[in-house]
């Protein structure tokens, strides 16, 4: 052996030695096949799509972070191979969730009130085993905090792991995680393809993937590129992106491979909402559609009458904000204070009821308030990986990853269709429908540096005694250093023709909602005008100046105005052992320690605006006197949280075709980035999961069936209280009245909308993958999932029990200084919602389906058939009728509650897809692939009910649908791929 090689090995051993101390992670060594590529086999840390066969994955890193045959992994996994992703014509993570077992897209399950189909905060958001997970997606096992998008243009493989998995994450979300592996350069052969894809929704997408070998078996470069403009069935929505991913593989020595990669990704997205607009006009029409000729407080003058009537009596409410400035669709600033507008249609206490689209000519394939906010994201990722065989059976792997991103997001636009009843003043638009929006943006900048080192050692004691077994011992150390800066701005009036706004006249200073500027568009259905105009360009300006009015984007929420550094250090170890080729055991241990530094943000005592407490040297404010959060200094003490998570698994191969599996895993979730009633971030939660499995393997693993019984639980799950009838908002309003009237000095409750619950999910998952011969490919993914909440909102319950009785002694007619709603109304709402919330204890979450089945099958004609080159396939997706509500009645105390023994069920979902593929050889070098996917062949455009409520408390009640989501659209996708 040459001296340079010896020196290099010693250097690598010296560098990697510190990574061994304190942690070990394991994997069973696999016998090398004579047909396997020795370059790939060199490293136990690499799995590529070459290991897969059709829809069947061959091996994975998710069971132990080193390469393991899938049949030896105890953890519940669902893996999508390159062939499967290509056949399904899927490009993003939400498409994959439609086909994974125990997984559903964000639009299912407990989606929020705005019905985000694709959450603007994280396009990776999904529901796994009944748990909503938003930042669980990783790329090459690196956590990018939900910023990085999965796209098939540079990824060949996606792996879902259900439930806690300490080997993959300790600090994470109990529902599970999903990891995508990016493409790597292949040092053996040149290959490439160019694809053009179009669909019936106006989408155009082009991709390039080219691998070039410069030195055979030594050095190769691979370039992947993307350019797309995707449309959606429900407009106005879009997804425009362009990206480049360049990666190289360099085999420095026979035992050493260096991989470098860099990606640039730029996207502009505004995805459609997943709910139908809410009805704010029906009460007005039922009351006769009266003309309003004047407004006085909460009363209105009808048709010129000199006698006012209450707005509620004619299906209206009044807008009494002190200034209430808005921008009309012609760009003119107007004052809407002292006008009237429609009110919510209500059914048995449910005050958010969707529109009756067919009655007013509103189409099902439009989004009334425009798209689901917008998301402009740009990021750059640089990765370096060094894999080295130090000595026989000892492998080292070092990785370095850096990501810089900036994202500007606008929150969801209004989901209410309103009517204008006013026939007076400067703004006469009587009878017109309109939608309005308070412009608000959040800027999130991330810099993430991830360092990871892993060692793996194969120890074969069976050579000495077969009872001692074969073992793989591996250890990993990782550091993730994340700097994030959040800025935000709500369009707020700061000056009028009379001069600057005096912030001392407003309870919340310039953050008061009465100073928020609205954008209003009047809609003309007859001329195809159904939605709010695209105002995203406004979000990049300082605001509006017009006719003496000045409005600027000013920070309003402390949650979205911060500077934080998070450092997480991880030690992990796994021992995986094979005993007499019959039993494979895995013992995983992980220690995550997270330290958080926050730069203090305070509310200015004069303006009420948030600003850094201490500024960095040289910080300069903008024209509105606002400093960026990046100008803040870290002066607050660090906060630390940590935990130990474990993973125990076993797979027993009873016979060649029958195996049994067991997995137990835990995790903890650090403090959520959501605030509770004490205005503090929610505390960490703890999760654990147990999985029992039976596996069948036939025809040399060409048919694999895995049946799992699972139970996943989490203590302290973060939930949005508003989605579970928590009375937090009304309690906050009551405390505001008490402060304004001098009854208490300060609110005893914060404005945080989130709370916690304990969640338990249990059920079954079935995965069948079959490639019985060269013609057939099958995949079946089925699941039963029941998710329930207990210990719901303990902090809210404690506050209610402590202070509710004292509220009863107060005058129920009290109001706040700037409001008109009396104390008695808030108290009634609090009691009603509290009773409803308590009734949801241990009830199945809704809307949610208990059963689901996903089937994919493909038949490819053989070489000797006259249809050679053709393949035909089909998908069938079925969800059982979901629980979409519970009977609402009154108890012996006269308070409403849910009778969970009387559920309302929605419609079962049946979706049938077809796809056709034709592969042809143009020449020895070039090939063509034509693919047609027809999704939801028999689909219709009728909205799907997602929430029902009974309209009366009587024996002859009837269910009334209050919320819908748009139907899954029928889509036709055609792609042409040139291979070379």
């Amino acid at each position: 052996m040459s001296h340079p090689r010896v020196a290099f090995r010693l250097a690598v051993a010296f560098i990697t030695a510190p990574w061994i101390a304190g942690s070990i992670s394991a994997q069973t060594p696999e016998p090398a096949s004579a047909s396997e590529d020795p370059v790939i086999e060199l490293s136990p840390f690499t799995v590529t799509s070459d290991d897969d066969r059709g829809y069947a994955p061959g091996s994975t890193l998710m069971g132990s972070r080193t390469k393991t045959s899938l049949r030896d992994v105890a953890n519940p996994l669902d893996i999508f191979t390159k062939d499967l992703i290509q056949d399904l014509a899927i490009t993003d993570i939400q498409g994959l969730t439609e086909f994974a077992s125990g997984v559903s897209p964000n639009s299912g399950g407990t989606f929020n009130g705005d019905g985000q189909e694709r959450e603007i905060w994280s396009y990776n958001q999904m529901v796994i085993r009944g748990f909503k997970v938003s930042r669980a997606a990783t790329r090459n096992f690196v956590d990018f905090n939900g910023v990085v998008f999965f796209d098939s243009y540079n990824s060949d493989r996606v792996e879902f792991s259900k439930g806690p998995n300490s080997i993959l994450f300790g600090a994470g979300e109990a529902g599970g995680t999903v990891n995508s592996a990016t493409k790597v350069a292949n040092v053996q052969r040149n290959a490439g393809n160019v694809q053009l894809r179009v669909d019936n929704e106006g989408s155009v997408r082009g991709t390039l993937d080219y691998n070039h070998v410069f030195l055979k078996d030594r050095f190769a470069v691979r370039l992947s590129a993307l350019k797309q403009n995707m449309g959606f069935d429900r407009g106005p929505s879009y997804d425009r992106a362009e990206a480049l991913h360049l990666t190289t593989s360099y085999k420095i020595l026979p035992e050493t491979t260096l991989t470098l990669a860099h990606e640039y990704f730029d996207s502009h997205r505004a995805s459609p909402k997943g709910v139908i607009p809410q009805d704010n006009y029906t009460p007005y029409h039922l009351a006769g559609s009266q003309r309003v000729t004047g407004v006085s407080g909460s009363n209105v003058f009808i048709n010129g009458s000199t006698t006012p009537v209450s707005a509620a009596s004619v299906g209206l409410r009044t807008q009494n904000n002190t200034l209430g400035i808005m921008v009309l669709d012609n760009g003119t600033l107007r004052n809407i204070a002292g006008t009237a507008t429609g009110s919510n249609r209500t059914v048995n206490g449910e005050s958010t009821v969707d529109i009756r689209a067919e009655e007013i000519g509103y189409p099902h394939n439009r989004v009334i308030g425009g798209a689901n906010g917008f998301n402009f994201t740009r990021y750059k990722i640089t990765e370096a990986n060094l894999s080295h065989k130090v000595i026989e059976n000892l492998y080292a792997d070092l990785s370095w990853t850096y990501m810089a991103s900036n994202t500007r997001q606008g929150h969801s636009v209004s989901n209410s269709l309103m009517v204008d009843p006013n026939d007076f003043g400067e703004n006469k638009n009587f009878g017109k429908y309109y939608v309005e929006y308070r412009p608000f943006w959040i800027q999130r900048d991330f810099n993430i540096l991830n360092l990871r080192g892993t060692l793996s050692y194969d120890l074969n004691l069976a050579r000495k005694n077969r009872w001692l077994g074969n073992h793989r011992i591996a250890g990993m150390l990782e550091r993730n250093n994340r700097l994030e800066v959040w800025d935000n701005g709500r369009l707020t009036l700061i000056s009028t023709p009379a001069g600057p706004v005096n912030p001392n006249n407003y309870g919340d200073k310039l953050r008061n909602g009465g100073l928020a500027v609205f954008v209003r568009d009047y809609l003309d259905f007859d001329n195809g005008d159904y939605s709010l105009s695209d105002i995203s360009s406004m979000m990049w300006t300082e605001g509006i100046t017009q006719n003496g009015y000045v409005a600027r984007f000013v920070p309003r929420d402390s949650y979205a105005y911060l500077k934080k550094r998070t450092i997480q250090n991880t030690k992990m170890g796994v021992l995986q052992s094979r005993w007499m080729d019959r039993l494979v055991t895995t013992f995983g241990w992980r220690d995550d320690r997270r330290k958080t530094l926050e730069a203090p943000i305070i509310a200015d005592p004069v303006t009420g605006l948030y600003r850094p407490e201490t500024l960095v040297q040289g910080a300069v404010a903008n024209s509105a006197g606002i400093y960026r959060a990046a100008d803040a200094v870290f002066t607050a003490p660090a906060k630390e949280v940590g935990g130990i998570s474990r993973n125990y698994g076993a797979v027993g191969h009873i016979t060649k075709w029958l195996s049994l599996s067991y997995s137990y895993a835990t995790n903890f979730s650090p403090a959520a980035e959501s605030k509770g009633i004490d205005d503090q971030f929610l505390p960490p939660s703890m999760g654990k999961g147990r999985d029992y499995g039976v596996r069948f393997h036939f025809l040399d693993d060409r048919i694999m069936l895995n049946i799992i019984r699972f139970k996943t639980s989490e203590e302290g799950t973060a939930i949005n209280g508003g989605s579970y009838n928590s009375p937090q908002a009304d309690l906050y309003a009551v405390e505001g009245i008490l402060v304004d009237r001098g009854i208490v000095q300060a609110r005893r409750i914060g404005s945080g909308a989130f709370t916690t619950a304990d969640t338990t999910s249990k059920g079954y998952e079935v995965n069948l993958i079959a490639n019985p011969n060269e013609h057939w490919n099958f995949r079946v993914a089925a699941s039963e999932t029941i998710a329930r909440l207990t210990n719901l909102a303990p902090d809210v319950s404690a506050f209610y029990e402590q202070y509710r009785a004292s509220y009863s002694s107060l005058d129920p007619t009290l109001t706040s200084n700037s409001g008109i709603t009396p104390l008695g109304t808030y108290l009634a709402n609090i009691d009603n919602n509290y009773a409803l919330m308590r009734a949801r204890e241990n009830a199945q979450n809704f809307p949610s389906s208990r059963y689901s089945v996903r089937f994919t099958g493909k038949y490819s004609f053989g070489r000797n058939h006259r249809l050679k080159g053709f393949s035909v396939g089909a998908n069938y997706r079925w969800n059982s009728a979901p629980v979409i509500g519970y009977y609402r009645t009154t108890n012996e105390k006269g308070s409403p509650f849910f009778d969970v023994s009387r559920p309302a069920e929605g419609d079962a979902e049946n979706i049938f897809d077809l796809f056709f593929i034709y592969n042809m050889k143009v020449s020895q070098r070039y090939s063509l692939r034509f693919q047609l996917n027809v999704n939801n062949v028999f689909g219709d455009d009728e909205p799907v009910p997602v929430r029902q409520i009974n309209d009366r408390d009587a024996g002859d009640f009837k269910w009334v649908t209050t919320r819908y989501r748009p139907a899954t659209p029928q889509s036709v996708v055609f792609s042409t791929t040139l291979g070379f």
Side-chain angles (χ1 to χ4, degrees), residues 916-920 928-932 974-977:
F916 307 91
I917 302 168
Y918 177 58
N919 289 290
M920 62 177 294
L928 279 173
R929 175 186 172 105
F930 302 98
Q931 181 170 333
L932 178 68
F974 178 75
S975 61
T976 303
T977 306

Side-chain angles (χ1 to χ4, degrees), residues 222 259 288 321 392 402 404 427 483 630 658 793 806 819 881 883 961:
R222 187 170 187 173
T259 301
N321 294 337
E392 190 67 26
Y402 177 75
N427 178 31
L483 174 66
L658 173 64
S806 65
V883 173
T961 301

Side-chain angles (χ1 to χ4, degrees), residues 135-420:
R135 294 180 174 86
T138 61
R139 188 175 93 162
N140 299 328
F141 300 109
V142 177
D143 177 11
F144 292 109
N145 204 50
V147 176
V148 175
F149 306 133
F150 159 78
D151 195 287
S152 60
Y153 94 96
N154 71 335
S155 298
D156 275 341
R157 212 168 193 260
V158 178
E159 301 176 283
F160 289 87
S161 175
K162 275 74 73 69
N165 187 333
S166 308
I167 295 169
L168 299 180
F169 64 91
E173 296 172 295
T177 187
V178 56
N179 181 69
S180 61
T182 54
K183 295 176 180 178
V184 296
N186 188 317
V187 297
Q188 295 180 318
R189 61 185 181 275
N190 296 334
N193 67 75
V194 177
Q195 184 183 89
L196 177 64
R197 165 182 164 139
V198 296
D199 63 32
N200 63 319
E201 294 167 357
S203 303
V204 179
R205 174 184 167 96
T207 60
L208 165 71
D209 182 20
Y210 178 61
N211 184 89
H212 187 79
V213 178
F214 287 92
L215 294 173
K216 178 69 172 176
D217 294 332
R218 293 286 304 277
F219 179 65
V221 176
R222 187 170 187 173
L223 174 66
S224 301
L226 165 71
K227 179 75 173 181
Q228 74 174 17
N229 188 352
M230 303 290 285
F232 294 89
D233 176 69
R234 297 187 304 285
S237 305
Y238 55 84
D239 182 346
R240 298 189 288 268
E242 56 184 34
L244 288 173
H245 183 244
L246 181 67
T247 179
T248 68
S249 291
Y250 179 35
K251 193 172 179 61
I252 303 173
L253 295 171
E255 302 88 356
T256 309
T257 300
L258 174 66
T259 301
L260 301 174
H262 181 77
E263 181 184 20
Y264 168 82
F265 195 103
D266 187 10
S267 73
H268 295 184
R269 301 186 176 196
S271 61
K273 282 191 173 183
V275 292
I276 301 297
Q278 293 172 13
D279 181 347
N280 274 230
Y281 58 82
T282 291
Y284 171 66
H285 289 331
L286 292 177
S289 302
Q290 303 286 345
R291 291 178 183 267
V292 175
T293 57
V295 172
S296 175
S298 59
N299 296 324
V300 296
F301 295 89
I302 300 299
N303 296 326
S305 171
T306 58
T307 303
V309 298
S310 70
S313 68
V314 288
L316 298 173
R317 57 185 174 86
T318 57
Q319 296 174 316
N320 288 301
N321 294 337
T322 307
L323 286 173
I325 297 297
M326 70 175 186
V327 182
L328 293 176
D329 52 5
N330 62 6
T332 304
L333 280 167
R334 296 281 175 81
N335 191 341
I336 59 172
T339 61
T341 186
S343 62
N344 293 349
R345 184 159 66 98
T346 302
V347 176
N348 198 8
E350 177 71 42
S351 60
T352 53
V353 181
D354 290 346
I355 68 173
R356 296 168 174 150
E358 65 281 355
E359 296 181 4
I360 60 173
Y362 177 78
H364 295 313
N365 65 340
R366 302 295 289 178
V367 179
I368 193 69
N372 176 34
F374 61 84
N375 181 308
F376 296 160
T377 294
R378 178 178 298 168
Y379 59 76
K380 298 178 181 178
I381 300 177
T382 303
E383 300 168 286
N385 182 267
L386 180 67
S387 183
H388 178 65
K389 181 179 180 180
V390 183
I391 57 175
E392 190 67 26
N393 296 330
L394 179 62
Y395 301 87
D397 187 82
L398 300 176
S399 68
W400 175 92
T401 303
Y402 177 75
M403 186 271 282
S405 72
N406 56 79
T407 299
R408 179 158 293 199
Q409 297 162 315
H411 70 145
S412 299
V413 297
S414 170
N415 195 47
S416 297
L417 180 63
M418 293 173 277
V419 65
D420 194 332

Side-chain angles (χ1 to χ4, degrees), residues 47-201:
V47 169
T48 69
S49 59
D50 294 338
D51 298 321
D52 304 331
R53 182 171 56 192
Y55 296 171
S59 55
T60 181
L61 300 178
M62 297 190 80
S64 66
R65 296 292 287 274
T66 51
K67 185 177 180 180
T68 307
S69 171
L70 194 63
R71 64 181 299 164
D72 292 334
V73 176
N75 302 90
L77 305 177
D78 197 357
I79 300 176
F80 288 79
T81 65
K82 177 179 68 175
D83 287 354
L84 180 58
I85 294 173
Q86 188 176 33
D87 288 352
L88 297 176
I90 289 175
T91 63
D92 65 4
I93 201 69
Q94 292 298 325
L96 292 173
T97 62
E98 296 276 6
F99 291 90
S101 65
V103 182
S104 60
N106 183 49
S107 57
T110 56
F111 62 76
N112 60 29
D114 283 333
Q116 276 92 336
E117 182 175 273
R118 301 186 179 196
E119 175 66 65
I120 60 173
W121 298 104
S122 172
Y123 277 72
N124 299 317
Q125 188 157 294
M126 67 194 75
V127 178
I128 305 178
R129 288 185 171 178
F131 292 84
K132 178 178 284 188
V133 297
S134 58
R135 294 180 174 86
T138 61
R139 188 175 93 162
N140 299 328
F141 300 109
V142 177
D143 177 11
F144 292 109
N145 204 50
V147 176
V148 175
F149 306 133
F150 159 78
D151 195 287
S152 60
Y153 94 96
N154 71 335
S155 298
D156 275 341
R157 212 168 193 260
V158 178
E159 301 176 283
F160 289 87
S161 175
K162 275 74 73 69
N165 187 333
S166 308
I167 295 169
L168 299 180
F169 64 91
E173 296 172 295
T177 187
V178 56
N179 181 69
S180 61
T182 54
K183 295 176 180 178
V184 296
N186 188 317
V187 297
Q188 295 180 318
R189 61 185 181 275
N190 296 334
N193 67 75
V194 177
Q195 184 183 89
L196 177 64
R197 165 182 164 139
V198 296
D199 63 32
N200 63 319
E201 294 167 357

